Structures are given as C-alpha cells and as structure tokens.
Amino acid sequence: MTTAVQLFHSLPPIASLPTATVPAAKGSAGARNQPASLHVVCASRKSRDDDYHATLKALNSKGRFPRKSLGQHYMLNPEINEQLARAANVEEGDVVLEIGPGTGSLTNVLINSGATVLAIEKDPHMVDLVRERFETTDKFKVLQEDFVKCHIRSHISPILESRKALNVSLIRAKVISNLPFNISTDVIKLLLPMGDIFSEVVLLLQEETALRLVESSLRTSEYRPINVFVNFYSEPEYNFRVPRTNFFPQPNVDAAVVTFRLKQAPDYPSVASTKSFFSMVHSAFNGKRKMLRRSLQHICPSNEIERALGDAGLPTTSRPEELTLDDFVKLYNMIAKV
C-alpha cells in the first residue's frame, strides 16, 4: 500500500509544473466570453519553491492525507493562485470568502493582496492548520462548517456592515475558491442569487463543467437548466485552463477558472416569481426531447401553451433546448397571463 510519504516523494519538482493556459476561441457564442489573453505574473522562484514545499510539508504533517470523500485536491502551483486573485481584481480593503482553504496557499495570496478573508472549511484538521498558519493576522477568520449547509449570509453581512460603520466604500464582497469538484454545482446554485452581498464569484472548476456553464450552445445535449440559471443571475466568463498536474493528488481531469459577475435584483429578467419561473424551466427540460406544448401541459392545456409560444414569438413546436434565457422569460410571462 502506498503511504502518504511515498506519494509526496513521487511528486514533480516545482519547475516542471505547467502554467495555466487560455484556450483558443472555438467559434461558439460562448467563446465571446473568453478573454483574448491573460497576463501572467509569475512568482519569484524562491517564493514558488517555498509555497510548493510549504504545501507538501503541511499536508504531510502528522501523516495527513487528502481525503477523497471531501474532494480534496491541493494546488501546488502558486502562479495559479496569483492568477485567481488577479481574475477577481483583489485589492486592498476587499472582503473575500474562500471555500475550502486547504493549507492556505490561496489564502496567503489573498491576504498579501490586501484582502480580509473569511474561510469556510469542513475538514477539522485543515481548520486547525490554517488557523495556526494565520494566527498573527487580523485579516483572516476560518469557520469549520459544511459550506452547502451553512448560512453564509449571516457570516458575511456583519463584516460588510462593520465596514459601512467605518465609512469604508466597500459595498459587496467577493468569492474566490479552488473548489472540491464534487460540490461545484451546489455552490454555484447557492452563491449566484446573492448579488446583493457578492459582486463576483471566481471559481476553479472541473474544465468540462466550466465549459458547459459558459459555452453551452442551443440545440446541444449540454444545454441544461443550469445554463438558464447561470445567465439569469450572472454574466459568466471563462478565464483560463489549469492542467491536472498542478494538483496533489492529481485528479483525472483538467480544471479551469470561471468568473461569474453577479447581477443585482434590479438587473434580473422581469418575472413575477423566480421560484415558479425556474420550476417551469425544470419542467420543460424534464422532457427534453418533447415539445414544450407537451412537457408543460401540467401547467395549462396544450392549446394554451401553443398560444403562449406564439405570443412570445416562438414556434409552437419549440423544444426546451431551443430557447434562450430571454425566450424562457417571454414564455413564462405569457403563460402567467393565461
């Protein structure tokens, strides 16, 4: 059986780690959301070595080993952490929520950029590790909680309110995280509707997930309710690809960084109820290959669905994968009038 120490010794030297890349535009509509280039500022060789070995030393302490059940894959390349911070334009005075700080390598970059960091970590061993690492700074706080179950608004709002009391111009916080891949969809669903307290959410995701969220085109099997959800609440942008060899342990897939610039309530599409709107969208996709006049007939009779489609300027034979966010909004509003 391979031990933690043996696996650490098998890792590549820091100089061999690949850097992040921006893929060439693919010609899809989503490709317009990709930046033409990304300026990379490399850490010095010494700081890279120190951070790389500090991460390994922290993980190897007391025989600790990344837990598969928690989706733990730790970043070994400090350049990626620098780029994550740059993608969110982190600057002095920012408040940043970090989900899953791990050994604190990204946390350290955020604090050095001038941010105050609130970290949420499920693993109690990692909580103790980062709490000890940053015990000398007042710009860091870590809570041992499962993010998908915690009341994040109650944790962030007091911090923002205290800034207002000090007449600090900060209005909303930012989210920056190297997420466990297995909770990415749940995290996105929780965070994106919080445009009143977060201005942007920068996440390192599984590359396939990142591309699906930003680039999925109409009339493809990848177009799903989550695409409608993401565009309802945010403006997503694909930032750059991160090869799997930058992580320990190495996952089976590459990763990518996506920025979600969150809309505020006045900028949401106009619907009477977001709950009933998304209920309709999910119902539409439950019968993905069915025409909407059939998949939505539990809402109202087929002939009324056809009339609503026509009034929305859509073919009466429309299927869910053919509708944009604006189309779904028009259809919902027409059905609401029936």
Side-chain angles (χ1 to χ4, degrees):
M1 181 176 178
T2 302
T3 67
V5 173
Q6 288 172 329
L7 199 49
F8 279 115
H9 288 165
S10 71
L11 289 167
I14 182 66
S16 68
L17 292 176
T19 56
T21 58
V22 179
K26 297 183 179 180
S28 68
R32 291 193 300 269
N33 290 326
Q34 297 181 14
S37 62
L38 184 74
H39 180 60
V40 178
V41 177
C42 297
S44 69
R45 175 58 189 267
K46 183 178 186 302
S47 67
R48 291 181 68 196
D49 285 351
D50 289 348
D51 196 60
Y52 176 83
H53 291 111
T55 297
L56 299 186
K57 182 178 179 181
L59 287 174
N60 203 25
S61 65
K62 300 179 182 179
R64 288 296 300 157
F65 195 79
R67 296 172 61 186
K68 185 177 181 180
S69 63
L70 296 179
Q72 292 176 333
H73 296 279
Y74 296 104
M75 176 58 61
L76 295 176
N77 191 340
E79 289 184 14
I80 306 300
N81 291 327
E82 295 282 353
Q83 290 186 60
L84 275 164
R86 289 175 62 83
N89 298 310
V90 177
E91 55 190 22
E92 186 73 34
D94 280 349
V95 173
V96 174
L97 169 67
E98 184 184 4
I99 305 162
T103 64
S105 58
L106 172 58
T107 314
N108 191 53
V109 171
L110 298 174
I111 292 174
N112 287 340
S113 298
T116 295
V117 178
L118 172 64
I120 307 293
E121 174 60 66
K122 185 176 181 179
D123 187 338
H125 297 281
M126 292 296 104
V127 170
D128 291 341
L129 192 154
V130 292
R131 186 173 283 150
E132 180 179 344
R133 178 173 180 177
F134 299 107
E135 62 183 353
T136 60
T137 178
D138 60 358
K139 289 190 172 186
F140 177 74
K141 180 179 181 181
V142 60
L143 302 175
Q144 184 191 332
E145 294 193 43
D146 181 343
F147 180 78
V148 298
K149 296 178 181 178
C150 79
H151 299 285
I152 192 58
R153 187 179 293 274
S154 66
H155 295 312
I156 285 290
S157 295
I159 299 175
L160 298 179
E161 289 299 324
S162 66
R163 293 301 182 92
K164 290 180 182 178
L166 296 173
N167 293 320
V168 176
S169 59
L170 176 73
I171 299 176
R172 294 185 289 170
K174 298 175 179 179
V175 182
I176 307 172
S177 180
N178 170 8
L179 276 183
F181 294 158
N182 59 353
I183 65 168
S184 58
T185 300
D186 290 336
V187 169
I188 287 167
K189 288 180 177 179
L190 284 170
L191 289 175
L192 265 55
M194 295 186 182
D196 58 321
I197 58 174
F198 296 117
S199 59
E200 50 204 309
V201 175
V202 179
L203 302 177
L204 197 156
L205 307 168
Q206 183 176 332
E207 185 181 31
E208 180 182 351
T209 300
L211 291 171
R212 186 170 67 242
L213 292 176
V214 177
E215 289 195 354
S216 287
S217 301
L218 297 179
R219 300 180 180 85
T220 68
S221 61
E222 296 301 316
Y223 187 64
R224 304 172 184 177
I226 189 66
N227 297 100
V228 178
F229 179 91
V230 164
N231 286 286
F232 188 99
Y233 287 114
S234 74
E235 295 176 356
E237 177 183 336
Y238 185 107
N239 294 113
F240 53 88
R241 172 178 170 270
V242 180
R244 67 194 74 181
T245 46
N246 287 287
F247 298 91
F248 174 76
Q250 184 173 306
N252 296 323
V253 294
D254 293 328
V257 172
V258 173
T259 296
F260 302 90
R261 292 182 177 83
L262 303 196
K263 301 175 184 177
Q264 294 184 276
D267 300 318
Y268 296 162
S270 180
V271 295
S273 165
T274 54
K275 182 177 180 180
S276 62
F277 171 73
F278 285 112
S279 176
M280 183 201 75
V281 171
H282 281 281
S283 293
F285 279 90
N286 281 340
K288 190 165 185 180
R289 295 307 305 165
K290 292 181 179 179
M291 294 181 188
L292 291 168
R293 65 191 183 194
R294 294 188 60 190
S295 60
L296 298 180
Q297 60 185 351
H298 67 287
I299 297 177
C300 56
S302 295
N303 63 320
E304 294 183 2
I305 298 293
E306 289 184 1
R307 187 187 317 145
L309 284 164
D311 291 344
L314 300 168
T316 58
T317 57
S318 294
R319 302 177 193 274
E321 66 270 21
E322 297 171 342
L323 271 62
T324 64
L325 167 62
D326 288 343
D327 292 335
F328 273 114
V329 170
K330 291 176 184 176
L331 178 59
Y332 171 83
N333 290 327
M334 290 300 172
I335 291 175
K337 292 179 181 179
V338 174

